[in-house]
Amino acid sequence: MAALLRGSWSSLRRCSKYAHLSLDFSRAMASKTPVGFIGLGNMGTPMAKNLIRHGYPVIATDNFPESCKELQDLGAQILDTPAEVADKADRIITMLPSSPNVIDVYTGPNGILKRVKKGTLLIDSSTIDPIVSKEMAVAAEKMGAVFLDAPVSGGVGAATMANLTFLVGGVEEEFKAAQEMLTCMGANVVYCGDVGAGQAAKLCNNMLLAIGMIGTAETMNLGIRLGLDPKLLAQVLNMSSGRCWSSDSYNPVPGVMEGVPSNNNYQGGYGTTLMAKDLGLAQMTATNTRTPVPLGSMAHQIFRVMCARGYGNKDFSSIFQFLREEEGQ
């Protein structure tokens, strides 16, 4: 049934004169075909909420039952295990913290692949080792299911506003089948290549993001010590060649921007522990491919030290606070 529906959507898209019907048809079918969602953390919950807003019935589960309450109040069906979700949904999205979590949710004793139905579309939006994504794709294929890796960029704010960027790896025809659903949660859905390519793109992006955030925090700190007003300095950077996302959209200095973690005691956003994990994955892939990444390696060590100093649960932009405390020692 899932394959038939995906084929119908693809056929409609190929005929441009029926393009508007494709949207209407897929939205109508959404109300009849539930989506499984596993992993209701800071990112997963707003993503699942956006699916509900677009008319998708959601069947969900999480290791922590309290994480499910908000979604349950919106009408989602909550089950106890990933296997139970797989029994009731033929499209499943997973959003999990790490490679071991993904392996357990897919192949563990109560995992998805214990009860997955043939033709089920499995979309993993976790940020993990590309090799693990490839292993899960092989395991899914043996059960007659299809696996896509689709990590996201954008953070909690973008997840809440359905403004994420999905970086997708897998069979291109299956990517097209998943596109409609992913656009309910994101503004950009990019096909990157075979399974694992989405993860590769995400790790490259996050390594640059981490390096950029460290550079922005160092620059802002230096300017403040030189007597510059931080808002003025941010304005100068953002109209000059030093401009980057960390300076103009996610400034790490409290009071410079509204609606970012630095203005909320570094709560919310993308945790330092997760950034250290992503940098560790980038470092591992760089080692495996003999790729020199001196700044990436240094960024990894800095964020690991931050975790050891108690910054693990704060947003990664707390690097500014970390630098300020370091200078006081």
Side-chain angles (χ1 to χ4, degrees):
M1 181 62 177
L4 177 61
L5 290 177
R6 295 200 293 272
S8 299
W9 295 351
S10 298
S11 298
L12 280 174
R13 288 193 190 91
R14 283 196 292 269
C15 185
S16 59
K17 70 187 250 187
Y18 293 122
H20 67 288
L21 292 179
S22 175
L23 179 62
D24 293 340
F25 178 76
S26 56
R27 289 286 189 259
M29 294 313 296
S31 65
K32 300 177 183 178
T33 53
V35 176
F37 206 106
I38 300 170
L40 300 175
N42 290 336
M43 293 291 290
T45 293
M47 290 168 66
K49 286 168 70 174
N50 282 322
L51 288 174
I52 292 173
R53 289 191 186 103
H54 282 86
Y56 286 82
V58 169
I59 301 172
T61 191
D62 191 274
N63 272 346
F64 301 96
E66 60 272 18
S67 300
C68 303
K69 188 178 186 310
E70 188 176 356
L71 217 61
Q72 189 172 29
D73 291 343
L74 292 174
Q77 182 182 358
I78 306 299
L79 299 177
D80 291 332
T81 67
E84 291 177 86
V85 173
D87 193 48
K88 293 183 176 293
D90 55 21
R91 292 174 297 174
I92 300 172
I93 298 169
T94 51
M95 186 54 150
L96 303 162
S98 66
S99 295
N101 296 121
V102 170
I103 293 170
D104 182 60
V105 162
Y106 278 89
T107 65
N110 293 306
I112 292 169
L113 298 183
K114 293 298 181 183
R115 290 165 69 174
V116 71
K117 295 174 284 188
K118 289 186 177 180
T120 295
L121 180 60
L122 304 171
I123 303 172
D124 180 39
S125 288
S126 318
T127 299
I128 61 172
D129 186 340
I131 293 175
V132 173
S133 292
K134 293 175 182 178
E135 291 172 351
M136 295 303 101
V138 171
E141 186 178 12
K142 289 178 180 178
M143 303 303 296
V146 176
F147 180 94
L148 301 177
D149 64 303
V152 300
S153 178
V156 175
T160 301
M161 300 299 293
N163 199 32
L164 292 167
T165 293
F166 284 87
L167 306 169
V168 186
V171 178
E172 190 166 5
E173 287 185 5
E174 299 297 339
F175 160 74
K176 292 176 180 176
Q179 220 170 348
E180 187 66 50
M181 185 168 56
L182 296 180
T183 55
C184 294
M185 300 176 285
N188 303 294
V189 182
V190 183
Y191 179 65
C192 298
D194 294 338
V195 170
Q199 298 293 349
K202 174 64 186 292
L203 294 180
C204 289
N205 176 81
N206 275 24
M207 185 174 74
L208 179 58
L209 172 61
I211 294 168
M213 181 57 77
I214 294 170
T216 300
E218 288 184 353
T219 298
M220 294 295 297
N221 190 37
L222 175 61
I224 291 168
R225 287 179 66 87
L226 291 172
L228 292 172
D229 177 81
K231 287 187 177 181
L232 172 66
L233 177 55
Q235 182 181 3
V236 170
L237 293 175
N238 294 335
M239 63 174 63
S240 305
S241 56
R243 179 184 180 185
C244 64
W245 187 84
S246 295
S247 69
D248 72 2
S249 299
Y250 212 80
N251 199 285
V253 180
V256 170
M257 294 184 65
E258 296 292 333
V260 294
S262 61
N263 223 32
N264 187 34
N265 195 30
Y266 300 102
Q267 299 304 304
Y270 199 67
T272 299
T273 297
L274 291 176
M275 180 56 82
K277 181 262 295 184
D278 291 353
L279 289 167
L281 291 171
Q283 181 67 57
M284 182 174 61
T285 57
T287 299
N288 291 340
T289 57
R290 298 182 180 181
T291 306
V293 287
L295 291 181
S297 297
M298 187 173 293
H300 181 214
Q301 294 306 314
I302 290 171
F303 281 101
R304 286 183 64 194
V305 171
M306 287 179 65
C307 291
R309 298 279 182 86
Y311 287 82
N313 292 327
K314 292 190 174 186
D315 181 74
F316 79 106
S317 62
S318 62
I319 176 65
F320 175 79
Q321 187 181 58
F322 173 73
L323 292 172
R324 298 283 283 187
E325 291 187 1
E326 285 294 293
E327 74 185 26
Q329 293 182 3

